[in-house]
Amino acid sequence: MINKISLVLVIIGAINWLLIGLFGYDLVGAIFGGQMAIMSRIIYSLVGIAGLWCITLLFRRDTATE
């Protein structure tokens, strides 16, 4: 379950970075009141933690394929 939640958060972060890169638009900041708003900072932190968690997925063995 935590893997799926992490993946969703990483996808949200990737979409946000895509919008920043292409259009200079921070969707998370716009929704939650700016980059320095407490809710935005929480979302950014959760996305970052999820990204770190997803690094562990690179090194796990998939038991279904063994």
Side-chain angles (χ1 to χ4, degrees), residues 1-65:
M1 184 66 166
I2 193 165
N3 293 341
K4 289 183 181 183
I5 293 169
S6 295
L7 184 58
V8 168
L9 288 171
V10 169
I11 291 169
I12 290 169
I15 291 169
N16 195 52
W17 276 109
L18 176 67
L19 291 172
I20 291 170
L22 293 179
F23 306 111
Y25 182 73
D26 182 1
L27 182 63
V28 172
I31 291 172
F32 295 105
Q35 290 181 344
M36 294 308 292
I38 190 70
M39 281 305 296
S40 294
R41 293 177 66 191
I42 290 170
I43 299 296
Y44 296 139
S45 298
L46 289 174
V47 169
I49 291 168
L52 292 175
W53 180 264
C54 285
I55 291 171
T56 66
L57 300 177
L58 292 173
F59 302 104
R60 291 187 188 170
R61 288 195 166 147
D62 186 9
T63 56
T65 60

